[in-house]
Amino acid sequence: MMPPLGINYLCLFLVRLSMVLSTVLLFSRSPHLPHPTKTQSIADLNVPSASALLPVPAVDPCTGRYIYVYDLPKKFNEDIVRDCRNLSLWTNMCPFTTNAGLGPNLNNTEKDQDGVLQNTGWFFTDQWMLEIIFHNRMKQYGCLTSDYSLASAIFIPYYPGLDVTRYLWDPEIARRDKLGMDLIEWLRQRPEWAARGGRDHFLVSGRSTWNLQRGLDQSYAWGSKFLVIPEVQNMTVLTVERRPCGDNEFSIPYPTYFHPSDKSQVATWQEKVRSSERPWLFSFAGGRRPDQPEMVRNHLIDQCVQSSRCKMHECQTGGVGCNSTSNLMKLFMQSQFCLQPPGDTRARRSIFDSMVAGCVPVFFHNESAYVQYRWHLPRDFENFSVYIWEDEVKTGRVRPEDVLLRYSDEKVREMREAVIKMIPTLIYKDPRYTSEKFIDAFDVAVNGVLQRVSRDFSQPIPLPSPSFVCLPLRFPSTLSLSSLDSRLRSFFSHSPSDKQRSRNAQISRDPFFRTRSTINPIIYKRLIQSWTTLLGCKFEALGDYCRPALVMSLITMMCFNGVCTGNNDSKLFEYMLSLPCAGSSIK
Ligand SMILES: *[C@@H]1O[C@H](CO)[C@@H](O)[C@H](O)[C@H]1NC(C)=O
Ligand SMILES: *[C@@H]1O[C@H](CO)[C@@H](O)[C@H](O)[C@H]1NC(C)=O
Ligand SMILES: *[C@@H]1O[C@H](CO)[C@@H](O)[C@H](O)[C@H]1NC(C)=O
Ligand SMILES: *[C@@H]1O[C@H](CO)[C@@H](O)[C@H](O)[C@H]1NC(C)=O
Ligand SMILES: *[C@@H]1O[C@H](CO)[C@@H](O)[C@H](O)[C@H]1NC(C)=O
Ligand SMILES: *[C@@H]1O[C@H](CO)[C@@H](O)[C@H](O)[C@H]1NC(C)=O
Ligand SMILES: *[C@@H]1O[C@H](CO)[C@@H](O)[C@H](O)[C@H]1NC(C)=O
């Protein structure tokens, strides 16, 4: 599903500025979440080679794989789902919480006249429901234990993404933080926590962790501060999109629409996409960002509509058909390559949807996938995808079509086959069924967690290469706070107009904006320049991902409610120190 972001965005400001918040919401009906019984079976080995190759029946196959799941008070999960009307001010999210988080059965809700989708296994799944899906999937895990001393890892079935989703527009930051703080309070009392200081604990965020990393306790700063809590930093956080600097964050795939309940459904689907006719060399499903002309997707859309080899599926706000799953999947199944440029964030759910359709992804930023989904994507990126650095497209040095035309049919077939082979581990199987095991994205994620928590945490954990870290950022010791402030003051006094300033302030409150690379290229460049001058090349070391976040945070800080004011030096500095990417390395 493509949520109508544009509408949300507009509403956000109207709503937020007039402070008409959740008071108008109606109380919702309670969706029924199925609760599969806990299975005691130990037959569900996640690593097939262990049982397939080793004839050692005496060994408990769950050794080293036991997981203990906290029985949390309902307010941390079930109540959030029960009060699903609070999940969005604009859309009733309740249908998406049904079927164990998979959402409505597609065969019932959508006419699939072309027979694109199979009759079973397809759902109208919302991209942010992974917490519910994962929790339910965990209930089917084959090596659960009720004795935490036996467990290698401890799962916390708290829904941090859905929790904060209820309060993202709420100026009261205490509300955004409350449940996360309650959780920590609750954990602190527990012997399970005391045993290893939470080092063996893990949880899932179904939203990008940018929503959980608020550094400053000000209502205009975005999101909750869940990830900043020291206890949480001891845990492993699985998320659909990590911050490259979040050392304890690990990306796992966004949920797609395909949730088969047995192996044969996957095999049938793989065969279907393998034999699908692909008349289009490449395609793109998504919308323009008219207010951000520099974004590479705008260039790609221009090129796509002009090319007879490209199929464009325009998904603008209110665009007809962009929410139709069968239309989307049909497009991906008819394309050899699928363009996956950054959008509101660097990664996209569409990456996984298109790969499930056997379409070879084309990435324009290495943070869209390669440095994100390390457990789920093979290291040999060029074997299953194409990489074109976005700057090459923006400057016109490279035309994606030319690049794609250079791949021989044979090579494309090889890459597609690699993608098709990956399908089972990119999807989450229907968590309500135990039969017919196959290794899915959940199993891969659990393996990753088990490997990580078995490490010796007294040692710093080396990031696997290609490593993306925020290199040390050092403030020159001579940098005075007042010079910092006056630089920023002078920057803003040079802003083109009051109107522009107020626009900046608006945009900077857009949830998704914080990870975009531009507001307005000129403004952005000047901010970068001023910071680069201030901090020397060290600023560059912040990395592509953190740099915009830092700059945007500063803008948020400086321009609130459309009025750019000067700033209090020490607050600004305190804020910078508190930024998760910079904060950890500023000494
Ligand atoms: C959900 O919304 C209802 C109705 O507006 C409100 O009474 C309730 O307190 C909200 N729940 C939470 C957890 O915010
Ligand atoms: C939809 O799929 C479910 C199983 O996933 C099946 O029980 C049901 O009969 C199907 N409905 C239609 C209209 O095909
Ligand atoms: C983090 O874990 C270590 C043990 O590895 C423990 O000493 C420390 O107290 C934990 N931190 C918090 C905030 O609980
Ligand atoms: C897609 O959007 C259209 C127009 O908003 C709506 O009528 C239709 O029901 C939506 N389709 C699905 C599957 O939700
Ligand atoms: C990637 O492709 C190369 C060349 O075709 C091949 O040698 C290599 O084994 C492939 N890697 C994987 C993981 O399949
Ligand atoms: C990401 O891509 C850019 C440009 O190609 C490159 O400079 C950078 O080193 C890459 N980062 C990683 C982690 O591969
Ligand atoms: C700036 O902030 C500091 C610490 O919050 C405070 O002590 C100081 O009085 C503030 N200065 C002004 C001018 O507001």
Side-chain angles (χ1 to χ4, degrees):
M1 184 195 69
M2 292 287 192
L5 294 177
I7 287 175
N8 283 2
Y9 174 78
L10 202 71
C11 293
L12 154 66
F13 295 120
L14 295 174
V15 169
R16 179 151 181 172
L17 290 176
S18 57
M19 294 296 157
V20 181
L21 285 166
S22 54
T23 48
V24 293
L25 280 182
L26 298 170
F27 193 73
S28 72
R29 66 190 168 85
S30 307
H32 174 68
L33 250 196
H35 297 289
T37 47
K38 271 192 190 179
T39 169
Q40 301 301 315
S41 158
I42 52 171
D44 181 19
L45 254 192
N46 294 318
V47 182
S49 56
S51 56
L53 304 176
L54 300 175
V56 276
V59 175
D60 176 357
C62 283
T63 300
R65 313 191 56 78
Y66 281 113
I67 292 180
Y68 172 90
V69 180
Y70 275 117
D71 186 12
L72 290 185
K74 288 186 173 38
K75 65 174 179 176
F76 293 110
N77 45 44
E78 281 178 39
D79 287 355
I80 301 177
V81 175
R82 188 198 61 203
D83 298 337
C84 52
R85 284 306 289 258
N86 299 26
L87 288 174
S88 169
L89 292 168
W90 304 279
T91 311
N92 177 9
M93 299 300 285
C94 294
F96 296 110
T97 64
T98 60
N99 288 327
L102 305 181
N105 228 305
L106 265 186
N107 59 357
N108 297 322
T109 56
E110 164 174 303
K111 278 225 165 24
D112 180 19
Q113 286 157 337
D114 305 328
V116 176
L117 310 175
Q118 290 165 192
N119 280 334
T120 50
W122 288 87
F123 298 83
F124 194 38
T125 306
D126 179 75
Q127 59 179 343
W128 288 330
M129 292 298 145
L130 188 56
E131 289 154 11
I132 306 176
I133 298 171
F134 200 97
H135 183 193
N136 283 297
R137 192 64 188 74
M138 184 60 82
K139 293 171 183 169
Q140 305 284 2
Y141 178 65
C143 297
L144 293 175
T145 175
S146 52
D147 176 357
Y148 75 86
S149 68
L150 275 183
S152 296
I154 297 183
F155 179 60
I156 310 173
Y158 163 52
Y159 302 164
L162 292 176
D163 174 14
V164 76
T165 296
R166 303 179 294 180
Y167 307 115
L168 283 173
W169 323 119
D170 192 328
E172 196 63 62
I173 52 172
R175 270 199 286 271
R176 297 183 220 154
D177 295 333
K178 170 134 195 343
L179 207 49
M181 306 290 272
D182 285 358
L183 176 74
I184 302 306
E185 252 336 284
W186 188 88
L187 287 173
R188 277 203 202 108
Q189 329 276 330
R190 305 282 303 205
E192 297 93 323
W193 177 269
R196 289 171 70 188
R199 295 295 200 170
D200 48 2
H201 285 45
F202 71 107
L203 48 73
V204 176
S205 170
R207 289 193 71 143
S208 147
T209 46
W210 291 103
N211 295 295
L212 306 173
Q213 51 106 48
R214 195 188 71 242
L216 189 69
D217 283 344
Q218 298 288 345
S219 73
Y220 49 79
W222 181 252
S224 82
K225 65 174 181 192
F226 184 63
L227 291 177
V228 182
I229 302 173
E231 278 82 358
V232 178
Q233 288 173 357
N234 267 7
M235 305 174 188
T236 298
V237 178
L238 306 180
T239 170
V240 289
E241 219 171 319
R242 73 187 282 258
R243 299 166 300 145
C245 338
D247 288 348
N248 62 333
E249 297 167 25
F250 294 84
S251 296
I252 62 178
Y254 275 95
T256 66
Y257 302 102
F258 189 36
H259 307 281
S261 49
D262 69 50
K263 240 193 306 216
S264 68
Q265 285 173 17
V266 188
T268 309
W269 177 255
Q270 282 172 302
E271 201 39 59
K272 188 168 177 153
V273 299
R274 189 175 280 126
S275 59
S276 176
E277 292 273 329
R278 296 179 187 265
W280 303 106
L281 176 66
F282 61 123
S283 65
F284 177 60
R288 270 179 207 279
R289 296 288 186 274
D291 53 343
Q292 298 172 82
E294 212 178 64
M295 284 192 85
V296 69
R297 60 167 54 212
N298 298 326
H299 298 257
L300 296 174
I301 291 174
D302 289 342
Q303 293 183 22
C304 183
V305 296
Q306 279 164 23
S307 168
S308 59
R309 297 189 180 92
C310 187
K311 175 79 172 161
M312 180 64 212
H313 188 90
E314 184 96 30
C315 258
Q316 228 135 36
T317 309
V320 178
C322 58
N323 61 353
S324 155
T325 306
S326 59
N327 279 349
L328 264 184
M329 295 309 291
K330 187 160 102 186
L331 172 75
F332 296 149
M333 284 166 75
Q334 292 179 342
S335 309
Q336 301 180 38
F337 295 98
C338 289
L339 308 182
Q340 298 296 357
D344 299 320
T345 53
R346 291 273 159 76
R348 307 175 76 198
R349 174 237 178 102
S350 173
I351 293 168
F352 300 99
D353 290 332
S354 63
M355 290 176 79
V356 163
C359 188
V360 175
V362 183
F363 297 116
F364 298 87
H365 203 292
N366 41 20
E367 287 161 28
S368 294
Y370 306 149
V371 300
Q372 289 271 350
Y373 306 98
R374 291 190 188 138
W375 292 344
H376 291 79
L377 299 181
R379 279 301 143 76
D380 295 308
F381 302 132
E382 64 285 354
N383 286 22
F384 71 92
S385 68
V386 175
Y387 181 53
I388 304 171
W389 178 234
E390 60 179 8
D391 284 359
E392 306 273 65
V393 179
K394 290 190 221 169
T395 56
R397 277 196 296 270
V398 170
R399 271 168 38 91
E401 182 169 351
D402 299 338
V403 175
L404 300 178
L405 278 171
R406 283 199 289 269
Y407 285 88
S408 69
D409 289 353
E410 183 51 31
K411 179 67 185 164
V412 177
R413 234 190 324 274
E414 269 175 38
M415 295 166 88
R416 179 160 60 243
E417 192 50 36
V419 170
I420 291 171
K421 285 216 175 81
M422 285 156 68
I423 292 175
T425 52
L426 297 180
I427 59 179
Y428 297 91
K429 60 186 170 194
D430 189 328
R432 296 166 299 176
Y433 295 88
T434 43
S435 61
E436 289 279 5
K437 312 268 182 264
F438 65 92
I439 295 176
D440 71 348
F442 168 90
D443 295 319
V444 175
V446 167
N447 274 339
V449 170
L450 290 169
Q451 273 177 32
R452 176 173 145 88
V453 299
S454 67
R455 285 178 209 251
D456 175 4
F457 278 96
S458 61
Q459 302 297 319
I461 304 157
L463 284 176
S465 70
S467 138
F468 189 109
V469 285
C470 288
L471 299 173
L473 167 77
R474 273 177 291 118
F475 279 93
S477 54
T478 52
L479 177 69
S480 82
L481 295 179
S482 58
S483 84
L484 198 67
D485 185 65
S486 68
R487 295 277 186 146
L488 285 168
R489 266 179 217 276
S490 89
F491 166 76
F492 280 106
S493 68
H494 283 109
S495 284
S497 65
D498 285 348
K499 201 170 153 200
Q500 181 65 56
R501 271 185 222 133
S502 118
R503 178 91 190 109
N504 291 350
Q506 274 195 354
I507 295 172
S508 68
R509 286 200 305 274
D510 174 356
F512 307 103
F513 175 62
R514 291 167 56 99
T515 51
R516 291 178 189 168
S517 56
T518 55
I519 328 171
N520 162 323
I522 300 162
I523 303 244
Y524 181 70
K525 214 172 231 158
R526 289 181 53 190
L527 259 182
I528 293 274
Q529 278 163 356
S530 83
W531 277 98
T532 311
T533 316
L534 278 170
L535 304 175
C537 62
K538 297 297 188 289
F539 180 72
E540 295 298 327
L542 263 179
D544 236 16
Y545 213 98
C546 315
R547 198 161 49 236
L550 174 60
V551 171
M552 295 328 149
S553 306
L554 284 166
I555 295 172
T556 313
M557 186 73 191
M558 302 290 291
C559 300
F560 182 54
N561 274 344
V563 182
C564 295
T565 58
N567 222 303
N568 184 321
D569 284 343
S570 52
K571 283 218 174 104
L572 177 61
F573 199 60
E574 177 199 335
Y575 183 43
M576 290 194 58
L577 288 171
S578 74
L579 285 170
C581 357
S584 59
S585 44
I586 296 175
K587 291 285 176 280

